[in-house]
Amino acid sequence: MASLFANHSSTTNSTFYDGEANLTWEERVFFAVLFSLMAAVSVIGNSLAFLTLRKIKMQASALLINLTIGDIGLGGFVMTTSAITLIKERWVFGEVACSIIAFIKAVSIFSSNMTLCMIALDRFIFVKSIRFSRKTRERLDWFFLLFPWVWSGLSAVGPLVGWGKFSWAPTRVVCTIDWLHSPSYTLACFTCYGFIPNIFILACYLQILRYVCVNKKRLQKSRQCYRGPRSNESSTRSSSVSSSDRTAIRAIKFSTTVSREEIGVLKTAVVVVLVFFTMAIPYVIIQLISLVQNHEFPLRIGTISTVFVFFGSCLNPFIYSGGNVKFRIGLKKVIMGFICKDG
């Protein structure tokens, strides 16, 4: 078994496995065309989203820009080389390019994961109306922007310095982290970018949901109190008014703080999180099973799971557009700007 994986862990000119692990020529062409289309959609869609988010003033737009940059890197470099590798039946770009593409893939996916954590924390702070001084808020914004890239970059450096390994094998469509080479590095990655972020994001959005539901009930209660009959006794009336006023103030403060636009941004963030983790689940499960069994899955299964990961980055621009009116208006202006310029 050890010799088998030793032969497969380098970027050689060996072709894909024969038999079950291999892809037929029709399947290779199909997946290559699919990867090419997804690359085009991802690069064009996320580039338009990047330009739109830079022009409009929208909550969490800077963090969404982080996601677009990661998706552009994934589409422009990783998906395109995957398509070529499928057609050529081997990695043809050399050892250095293998490490570069694998590094870009790791940083793009890792940074997107951490950015989703920062968006969840940013939305939690906003909805809970946690106040900071202007200077502290600026520092916090820079931390939200830079931390995903710095942390992801440091994590992806591991294989370049001997902890883990970047490689291509006949069971993979592109150079990536060799998850079987270093179990400790694999577990560290899945813990830092899988289990912990999932728990953190879930906790943030559950707290946001709870806070929104409580204040919605307060707002409804305050309206009922003001519509309802008043007590004849002055003391009771005073107490009732005071209590309803306090409830109304809390509810109205929440309703005026959280506008429709911000609710739209919150919904967009939730959908992006759900799509990201839904698309990543098949790939994560396959890699964890491979780690336990110390055996890679056939190419066909690995390719299908990779399709889900790539497809998630293609969907993000459509999610931004579908979940926010302001973004749609800004996107139309960006597209019309290109059309008028060409005309």
Side-chain angles (χ1 to χ4, degrees):
M1 181 67 70
S3 62
L4 175 64
F5 285 105
N7 292 334
H8 293 164
S9 63
S10 62
T11 56
T12 65
N13 290 332
S14 60
T15 55
F16 293 147
Y17 288 123
D18 292 329
E20 182 187 356
N22 200 1
L23 290 171
T24 64
W25 172 248
E26 290 78 11
E27 287 175 324
R28 288 201 298 271
V29 171
F30 170 78
F31 283 118
V33 171
L34 182 61
F35 286 160
S36 300
L37 290 174
M38 288 195 295
V41 171
S42 182
V43 172
I44 295 172
N46 283 288
S47 296
L48 289 173
F50 174 85
L51 295 173
T52 303
L53 290 167
R54 283 191 62 190
K55 287 182 177 294
I56 65 175
K57 293 181 179 180
M58 191 176 78
Q59 291 290 331
S61 59
L63 291 171
L64 292 176
I65 285 175
N66 261 11
L67 290 180
T68 64
I69 294 172
D71 289 335
I72 290 171
L74 200 64
F77 296 98
V78 183
M79 295 184 197
T80 51
T81 52
S82 298
I84 295 170
T85 303
L86 279 170
I87 294 296
K88 294 290 187 180
E89 302 190 48
R90 66 182 189 274
W91 181 260
V92 297
F93 302 101
E95 295 282 349
V96 175
C98 179
S99 296
I100 292 173
I101 294 299
F103 181 82
I104 291 173
K105 180 186 176 186
V107 171
S108 297
I109 295 175
F110 290 170
S111 64
S112 294
N113 202 318
M114 297 311 297
T115 298
L116 292 176
C117 290
M118 297 300 103
I119 291 175
L121 180 58
D122 178 71
R123 294 298 83 201
F124 175 79
I125 291 172
F126 179 81
V127 171
K128 294 284 285 185
S129 300
I130 300 174
R131 304 298 180 185
F132 298 98
S133 66
R134 184 176 178 181
K135 194 172 183 180
T136 303
R137 182 66 223 192
E138 288 178 356
R139 289 176 177 173
L140 198 60
D141 289 340
W142 279 109
F143 173 79
F144 286 163
L145 288 174
L146 297 178
F147 175 75
W149 295 107
V150 174
W151 183 248
S152 301
L154 291 174
S155 301
V157 163
L160 299 177
V161 296
W163 188 31
K165 186 177 183 179
F166 291 141
S167 65
W168 175 83
T171 53
R172 306 175 201 143
V173 296
V174 70
C175 278
T176 186
I177 297 171
D178 186 345
W179 299 112
L180 298 181
H181 180 77
S182 175
S184 61
Y185 180 73
T186 299
L187 291 175
C189 288
F190 278 92
T191 301
C192 293
Y193 298 102
F195 306 126
I196 293 177
N198 282 348
I199 295 171
F200 180 82
I201 291 171
L202 181 63
C204 285
Y205 284 119
L206 283 177
Q207 285 296 316
I208 290 172
L209 179 63
R210 178 178 174 276
Y211 187 74
V212 169
C213 290
V214 167
N215 281 279
K216 198 172 181 180
K217 289 179 181 178
R218 284 176 178 171
L219 187 59
Q220 292 172 348
K221 186 177 179 182
S222 65
R223 288 171 179 169
Q224 291 173 357
C225 287
Y226 279 114
R227 287 197 207 103
R230 302 281 181 165
S231 173
N232 292 328
E233 298 181 8
S234 60
S235 60
T236 306
R237 183 173 63 251
S238 300
S239 173
S240 175
V241 170
S242 176
S243 175
S244 62
D245 282 347
R246 285 195 298 268
T247 303
I249 288 170
R250 286 194 295 266
I252 292 169
K253 183 180 178 182
F254 169 77
S255 63
T256 54
T257 301
V258 183
S259 66
R260 286 185 178 180
E261 178 189 335
E262 284 128 9
I263 291 294
V265 173
L266 182 59
K267 289 179 179 178
T268 300
V270 171
V271 174
V272 170
V273 169
L274 290 175
V275 169
F276 181 87
F277 287 116
T278 301
M279 295 296 105
I281 283 173
Y283 183 84
V284 171
I285 291 175
I286 286 172
Q287 299 308 324
L288 288 176
I289 294 174
S290 297
L291 184 64
V292 172
Q293 295 182 344
N294 194 32
H295 188 281
E296 294 194 27
F297 275 84
L299 175 63
R300 186 175 287 108
I301 295 176
T303 303
I304 293 172
S305 67
T306 303
V307 167
F308 282 99
V309 175
F310 290 169
F311 187 59
S313 70
C314 300
L315 289 178
N316 284 341
F318 298 99
I319 297 172
Y320 306 150
S321 181
N324 194 284
V325 176
K326 195 171 184 179
F327 181 88
R328 286 199 297 273
I329 295 171
L331 180 61
K332 288 179 182 178
K333 289 181 180 179
V334 170
I335 294 173
M336 290 304 298
F338 281 111
I339 294 173
C340 294
K341 191 180 293 184
D342 293 338

